[in-house]
Amino acid sequence: MMPPGYFITFEGIDGSGKTTQLQMAEKFLADNGRSTLVLREPGSTPISEKIRDLLLNPGLKINPVSELMLYLAARAELVAQVIAPAIDNGRIVLCDRFHDSTTAYQGYGRGIEVALVSRLNELAIGKYKPHLTFLIDVDYRTSLTRRKTATDRLEAENHEFFDRVRQGFLQIARNEPDRVIVINGNRTPVEIFIEVKDCLSRKMNII
């Protein structure tokens, strides 16, 4: 019988540095003999990548409900095709964003009923909820200084939108403190990763 897998997600507003922390976590785990599967959301399957292109296209205006449904469709496809088989076969999965982003962005950010978003997320992910989530928390001004030059459709949103999203993430963390670890992202990547590494070491039994 295969051992149960482990599912770790990295969350935060755009420009928080979560992707850098995921990459550092992947290297740390690999250096300690742990094989990982790295994914991104939306994306990581042919269908989900096409949905990603739509969602992040700055030339498109998308109704908030349509936006929500597109994220859910991409997620359902990723879970069915990649995450479920990986977890069921004992893999460690690292994912750049997952269902918490939809709750924060489309629920708290867009104003769609959070309870409804949560129920739809449950439909999309089934039993494959993350075991551990790192929320890299930064304010809007800090996030702006870290973003790449190109701006996608969501990155173009205003200060007030990102404030709502950030507060949404923090509320998720308050609701699920055993799963969601809030990390102060207003530091260098190396300083931040000390905290991430300490948590990974405990969870993965790395000495």
Side-chain angles (χ1 to χ4, degrees), residues 14-77:
D14 295 270
S16 64
K18 61 183 174 48
T19 303
T20 298
Q21 294 304 309
L22 183 152
Q23 292 167 347
M24 295 173 77
E26 177 190 17
K27 184 178 185 305
F28 170 71
L29 291 170
D31 288 347
N32 285 276
R34 308 301 202 272
S35 175
T36 61
L37 175 63
V38 175
L39 306 170
R40 70 174 183 176
E41 267 230 313
S44 298
T45 74
I47 290 175
S48 300
E49 287 292 336
K50 289 184 181 299
I51 294 174
R52 180 187 183 89
D53 290 341
L54 286 172
L55 284 165
L56 301 185
N57 187 335
L60 295 178
K61 295 184 69 173
I62 303 177
N63 176 277
V65 174
S66 299
E67 180 183 76
L68 170 63
M69 296 303 180
L70 285 168
Y71 275 109
L72 292 166
R75 180 164 305 125
E77 184 70 12

Side-chain angles (χ1 to χ4, degrees), residues 15-194:
S16 64
K18 61 183 174 48
T19 303
T20 298
Q21 294 304 309
L22 183 152
Q23 292 167 347
M24 295 173 77
E26 177 190 17
K27 184 178 185 305
F28 170 71
L29 291 170
D31 288 347
N32 285 276
R34 308 301 202 272
S35 175
T36 61
L37 175 63
V38 175
L39 306 170
R40 70 174 183 176
E41 267 230 313
S44 298
T45 74
I47 290 175
S48 300
E49 287 292 336
K50 289 184 181 299
I51 294 174
R52 180 187 183 89
D53 290 341
L54 286 172
L55 284 165
L56 301 185
N57 187 335
L60 295 178
K61 295 184 69 173
I62 303 177
N63 176 277
V65 174
S66 299
E67 180 183 76
L68 170 63
M69 296 303 180
L70 285 168
Y71 275 109
L72 292 166
R75 180 164 305 125
E77 184 70 12
L78 178 60
V79 169
Q81 298 299 325
V82 182
I83 292 176
I87 296 296
D88 290 347
N89 283 283
R91 298 287 302 277
I92 298 172
V93 176
L94 306 179
C95 196
D96 189 339
R97 296 200 183 283
F98 198 59
H99 73 307
D100 293 321
S101 278
T102 298
T103 302
Y105 278 80
Q106 281 67 55
Y108 290 94
R110 298 293 191 211
I112 299 174
E113 182 188 356
V114 171
L116 173 60
V117 174
S118 296
R119 290 196 298 274
L120 292 171
N121 264 325
E122 290 173 2
L123 176 64
I125 69 177
K127 67 178 183 179
Y128 297 95
K129 189 172 185 177
H131 299 96
L132 174 65
T133 297
F134 292 106
L135 170 57
I136 313 302
D137 179 50
V138 299
D139 60 28
Y140 177 72
R141 291 187 182 279
T142 300
S143 75
L144 280 180
T145 67
R146 297 179 177 175
R147 295 185 197 175
K148 58 186 182 296
T149 302
T151 300
D152 66 36
R153 193 177 61 84
L154 282 176
E155 289 175 339
E157 289 290 345
N158 61 29
H159 189 167
E160 290 74 18
F161 175 80
F162 280 104
D163 281 347
R164 293 194 300 272
V165 172
R166 181 191 179 197
Q167 292 307 313
F169 275 126
L170 292 172
Q171 184 59 54
I172 292 167
R174 286 190 289 270
N175 292 343
E176 299 185 65
D178 292 337
R179 173 177 69 87
V180 183
I181 308 300
V182 181
I183 295 180
N184 177 7
N186 296 300
R187 297 172 289 174
T188 68
V190 172
E191 290 171 330
I192 296 167
F193 190 66
I194 290 172

